Amino acid sequence: MTRQRLFLFIIAILLIVLSWWQIASARTGLIVQSLSKDGIPILYVAPARSQKIPGVLIAHGFAGSKQLMLGYAYTLAHAGYAVMLWDFSGHGANHKSLARSSLQADLDTAYKALLTQPRVDPQRVAVLGHSMGSGAAMTAAIQQSDRFTATVAISPTKAAVTPQVPTNLQIQAGNWEPRFVVNAQQLLQRAGGEGQGRSLIIIPNAEHITILFRRASHQAAKTWLDRSFGIQNSSNYIDNRMSWYGVHLFAWLLVLGAVAPVISNGILRQPPRIWRRFPARGVSDLLFQAAIQAHNSDIVSKSDRLKSWIGLILSPLGAIGILALLNRNTDIASLGGVLVGGALGIWFYAAGIVWLLANLRLLRLTLAGLGLGLGLFLLLWVAFGAMAQVVWLQWWLVPVRLQLWLWLSLLCFPWLLASGIAQQQSRIKIRFIWWLGQSLVLVIGLLATIQILPQIGFIFLLLPIFPLFLAMFAIASAAVKDVWAYAIGCSLFFSWAIAAAFPLVG
């Protein structure tokens, strides 16, 4: 390892430790307990030294989890509220399948769990929800108006609001999610307009997901609840956990950049010990030399590059065609028992096959590539998920999601193998161009898919996330260099993220 790589490695480790320290400090003065009631995973967050304080139910949106709403939970708990979060059926760590009636039933279970907490004043309870959770929150506050003093609906869906119910209704929407802004304005009008316990807040520089991490949204919710309960508090807590999560992820990518080339070169300079101990030494040496030849003979011509670009551009056509055919005989929105996620996996599989066929070349898999791929997966899994579990995503998979992960890995593999072949032996500038090209094709291709198959339209809200994943994969490709290692590691990781996020259905 060179001095520069050693320096990067040390800096990365320091940043990782600092990030975890900052994440842990956010809990100072709070009680954070994991509970379960009627099979529903619940998280309780409250001030450590308070009695008879207002309680708040916080409901996540579609493909979300209780961790995704922790920014509101920490902000409100530091301000003197007892907060209860949970995973709706089919989401996060809740292994039950999502059903139409499950949302209100799950919210009612969380409400009863909140009232059992000795610190909570049962006469002062509010409810807050995002997207799908906003509909459940408003419906609960309408149907049981005697339970809830205030309601906060973020990126709201539909609800039968009136000038009388829900009581003390605040509606929020991000200025980058125009459809939800329009829906919020319509809800406000049906609820009686601004004033008299009604308010609409447009959060700047926010869309459907990033609104959950905006300080303006957290503070607007806190101010509204303070006013509704007649509370004056001086809490100055600002939720910066997502920023530190970004630092943590960046630091792990530095570790990858510092360590992966050293490991890769070390493996290809001399046979692994298990080979050197092989009884037929001559055979092991021949195998090792074959691996080196396979690694070093990957000459990429201009025609190879051109074919890769053509395959990339044409790949969405194959994906759209396969999904359209499947849609004739099956519900593509619930393929494989997971809402939308199964269709997304099929999209990547079909698009990847088209891209691979256009390449017309497939490199040999070596033991070194297999080992590096598994190592890459473990590093990305820890870098992305270890902190995500306590910041914004239910990363540990329940058993049924582990089964999904295995077949989703196979579906994602062709696309990432084709991506690795395309970027092979590329300089940084060329890798950037490949990242930009993949991002554009992926976003435009998914937009076209949604136009033809609107039942998987939820993917539209996730489009900003895909270029971020592709950027992470481009960094991994530059560090690892081995095509098979890149494809194995990234497909295992990407499929894990899909399995973790999308709802389960029966």
Side-chain angles (χ1 to χ4, degrees):
M1 181 177 286
T2 64
R3 290 184 178 180
Q4 292 85 349
R5 294 190 188 280
L6 181 60
F7 176 76
L8 283 179
F9 180 79
I10 294 172
I11 292 297
I13 296 301
L14 291 175
L15 288 176
I16 291 170
V17 172
L18 177 61
S19 300
W20 277 107
W21 179 73
Q22 291 291 333
I23 293 297
S25 66
R27 295 189 174 199
T28 302
L30 301 180
I31 293 173
V32 181
Q33 294 179 339
S34 294
L35 310 169
S36 178
K37 185 174 178 60
D38 297 338
I40 298 176
I42 295 174
L43 191 64
Y44 177 64
V45 185
R49 299 180 180 179
S50 298
Q51 295 293 330
K52 296 304 175 184
I53 55 178
V56 183
L57 297 177
I58 296 184
H60 64 77
F62 184 85
S65 65
K66 55 187 179 298
Q67 287 91 335
L68 190 59
M69 306 300 290
L70 278 172
Y72 299 95
Y74 279 103
T75 299
L76 294 175
H78 280 288
Y81 292 88
V83 179
M84 192 69 78
L85 311 98
W86 68 98
D87 289 329
F88 279 117
S89 294
H91 291 75
N94 193 329
H95 65 275
K96 299 178 181 178
S97 297
L98 178 64
R100 289 185 178 181
S101 60
S102 63
L103 296 182
Q104 296 305 134
D106 292 346
L107 190 149
D108 188 63
T109 298
Y111 172 77
K112 294 175 181 176
L114 178 65
L115 296 190
T116 63
Q117 302 302 316
R119 290 177 172 81
V120 177
D121 182 352
Q123 303 303 316
R124 297 190 296 165
V125 178
V127 60
L128 179 153
H130 170 248
S131 192
M132 177 188 75
S134 75
M138 288 186 287
T139 299
I142 292 168
Q143 295 178 349
Q144 292 97 25
S145 57
D146 57 319
R147 287 183 173 183
F148 303 106
T149 303
T151 303
V152 178
I154 302 164
S155 301
T157 55
K158 303 292 184 181
V161 299
T162 70
Q164 290 75 40
V165 291
T167 306
N168 295 320
L169 173 64
Q170 181 190 75
I171 306 170
Q172 296 184 21
N175 67 332
W176 291 347
E177 48 175 359
R179 290 189 297 176
F180 287 92
V181 170
V182 171
N183 192 47
Q185 292 168 340
Q186 294 173 349
L187 281 171
L188 180 67
Q189 184 178 8
R190 290 198 297 270
E194 193 79 29
Q196 300 298 317
R198 300 288 184 263
S199 177
L200 171 60
I201 303 293
I202 303 299
I203 305 299
N205 305 319
E207 43 77 48
H208 197 68
I209 297 175
T210 56
I211 191 173
L212 299 176
F213 309 110
R214 290 285 184 262
R215 176 189 177 188
S217 179
H218 301 163
Q219 295 301 315
K222 181 179 77 69
T223 300
W224 184 255
L225 295 181
D226 287 346
R227 184 183 305 169
S228 300
F229 289 114
I231 295 174
Q232 293 183 350
N233 68 66
S234 57
S235 171
N236 57 2
Y237 173 81
I238 298 174
D239 190 69
N240 293 319
R241 294 170 313 111
M242 199 63 184
S243 298
W244 286 107
Y245 172 78
V247 172
H248 177 266
L249 180 57
F250 172 74
W252 273 105
L253 292 177
L254 286 181
V255 170
L256 176 64
V259 172
V262 178
I263 297 175
S264 179
N265 292 336
I267 289 176
L268 292 173
R269 278 178 186 158
Q270 59 181 346
R273 290 182 179 178
I274 188 172
W275 283 11
R276 283 180 280 170
R277 293 176 180 175
F278 195 75
R281 179 64 183 273
V283 174
S284 67
D285 287 343
L286 287 174
L287 289 173
F288 177 66
Q289 292 301 323
I292 293 178
Q293 274 191 341
H295 185 270
N296 294 332
S297 64
D298 307 326
I299 300 173
V300 183
S301 65
K302 290 184 178 180
S303 63
D304 290 332
R305 299 285 190 204
L306 179 60
K307 287 185 290 186
S308 287
W309 276 109
I310 293 173
L312 172 61
I313 294 170
L314 294 179
S315 62
L317 299 179
I320 294 172
I322 292 298
L323 285 176
L325 287 174
L326 289 174
N327 189 48
R328 294 182 177 182
N329 300 310
T330 187
D331 178 14
I332 62 167
S334 58
L335 285 173
V338 56
L339 278 174
V340 182
L344 183 62
I346 295 292
W347 195 100
F348 275 103
Y349 179 79
I353 292 296
V354 171
W355 196 359
L356 279 176
L357 290 175
N359 278 307
L360 292 177
R361 61 194 180 98
L362 191 63
L363 308 179
R364 284 175 287 178
L365 172 63
T366 66
L367 289 177
L370 177 60
L372 285 173
L374 295 176
L376 175 61
F377 162 66
L378 289 175
L379 187 142
L380 292 175
W381 188 86
V382 171
F384 187 88
M387 185 176 284
Q389 176 69 22
V390 296
V391 173
W392 71 282
L393 176 66
Q394 176 63 42
W395 190 242
W396 316 123
L397 300 184
V398 294
V400 64
R401 292 187 181 275
L402 279 173
Q403 297 175 22
L404 292 173
W405 171 56
L406 294 176
W407 68 265
L408 284 170
S409 299
L410 297 176
L411 292 178
C412 294
F413 183 77
W415 172 278
L416 286 158
L417 182 59
S419 172
I421 294 173
Q423 297 177 73
Q424 187 186 12
Q425 294 186 356
S426 296
R427 299 186 303 273
I428 293 178
K429 180 180 178 180
I430 301 300
R431 290 184 187 277
F432 174 80
I433 294 173
W434 271 114
W435 166 79
L436 184 61
Q438 287 185 75
S439 298
L440 289 174
V441 168
L442 188 55
V443 170
I444 294 172
L446 288 174
L447 281 173
T449 306
I450 294 168
Q451 292 297 316
I452 297 172
L453 302 167
Q455 58 266 55
I456 59 174
F458 176 75
I459 294 175
F460 175 80
L461 299 177
L462 302 178
L463 291 181
I465 295 178
F466 290 112
L468 299 178
F469 272 101
L470 292 177
M472 195 185 327
F473 297 158
I475 295 172
S477 176
V480 175
K481 292 184 173 61
D482 186 278
V483 170
W484 282 92
Y486 165 81
I488 292 170
C490 291
S491 61
L492 287 172
F493 166 73
F494 187 53
S495 60
W496 187 287
I498 295 175
F502 288 92
L504 303 171
V505 290

